Amino acid sequence: MTDDWVPVEHRFAGLDRRTFKPALTALGVALVLIYGLPALDAAIPWHNEVEAGDVLDLGGGATAVPPVGWQLESGTLTGSAVTASPTTLQVTLATGGATIDLRGVPYTGSADAFLDQVERSEGDAPGVDAARGSVTTAAGLTGVVQAGTGPGGDALDVAFKVPQADTAPALLVRVRTAPDQFERHRDEVTAFLRSIAPGPAK
């Protein structure tokens, strides 16, 4: 008699019925992890909606006013216990089919050179193909802007060089929308860009 011999009273279809319960339990746990948790996550609405009066902390005293009604998926509002760093800044705002991402990094060159560097590092960014222009915020901060469109959607990249001598941060604002949806969000994006205010010069 071998160690894997199964008494006939415990057999079903040639299998050991005593192993069914732990096997089914393991299968159930696996199905919950694979399908249940993602479905639950998708079913729970995101609740970090931007309200009137909210102001984003961009670090070093720099701020921006996010569009009301968008979801703040990452980032810090002014007045929070945690303050943002201008050179490691990561902010993501989203609404149906559109996102605004902000990234802050140390950079000592111009805004134009910074955008060049971003594009070189990423290769040919799909959808960003129009000629460059400029945008000036209400606080007088001038950035370089490049827009485009493609099968994947509409794109707008804006690079700012924030005048803070000690950290020399650069700010990249990336707007992405579903195809032909940029016009729907144009006014909100324009207002957001114009609201960007640098911190006090040092």
Side-chain angles (χ1 to χ4, degrees):
M1 183 181 303
T2 62
D3 292 339
D4 57 355
W5 178 82
V6 179
V8 66
E9 65 270 21
H10 294 301
R11 293 181 200 163
F12 178 78
L15 301 174
D16 187 347
R17 290 188 300 176
R18 294 171 297 184
T19 64
F20 286 8
K21 186 175 180 179
L24 290 173
T25 300
L27 177 62
V29 171
L31 289 174
V32 167
L33 292 175
I34 294 171
Y35 299 107
L37 293 182
L40 180 63
D41 184 56
I44 298 175
W46 190 272
H47 287 298
N48 200 11
E49 186 172 299
V50 174
E51 299 178 354
D54 284 348
V55 178
L56 283 172
D57 180 2
L58 305 185
T63 59
V65 179
V68 174
W70 286 48
Q71 299 295 329
L72 179 59
E73 295 188 351
S74 66
T76 305
L77 296 176
T78 58
S80 303
V82 178
T83 57
S85 166
T87 54
T88 58
L89 181 71
Q90 293 192 4
V91 175
T92 298
L93 296 157
T95 190
T99 60
I100 299 175
D101 285 302
L102 290 86
R103 297 291 182 267
V105 299
Y107 190 78
T108 55
S110 67
D112 201 49
F114 175 54
L115 193 53
D116 283 341
Q117 177 175 292
V118 170
E119 292 183 349
R120 279 197 307 271
S121 67
E122 297 181 349
D124 295 327
V128 180
D129 51 15
R132 287 188 184 179
S134 64
V135 59
T136 301
T137 73
L141 182 65
T142 298
V144 179
V145 57
Q146 187 160 15
T149 188
D154 300 326
L156 183 74
D157 285 351
V158 187
F160 293 98
K161 179 67 179 65
V162 183
Q164 293 174 332
D166 56 346
T167 54
L171 177 65
L172 177 67
V173 183
R174 314 198 92 167
V175 182
R176 297 292 184 266
T177 72
D180 302 322
Q181 291 296 307
F182 184 80
E183 285 300 318
R184 177 183 169 195
H185 302 288
R186 176 184 292 276
D187 290 346
E188 292 171 311
V189 170
T190 299
F192 175 73
L193 291 173
R194 285 188 53 76
S195 77
I196 295 174
K202 298 178 181 177

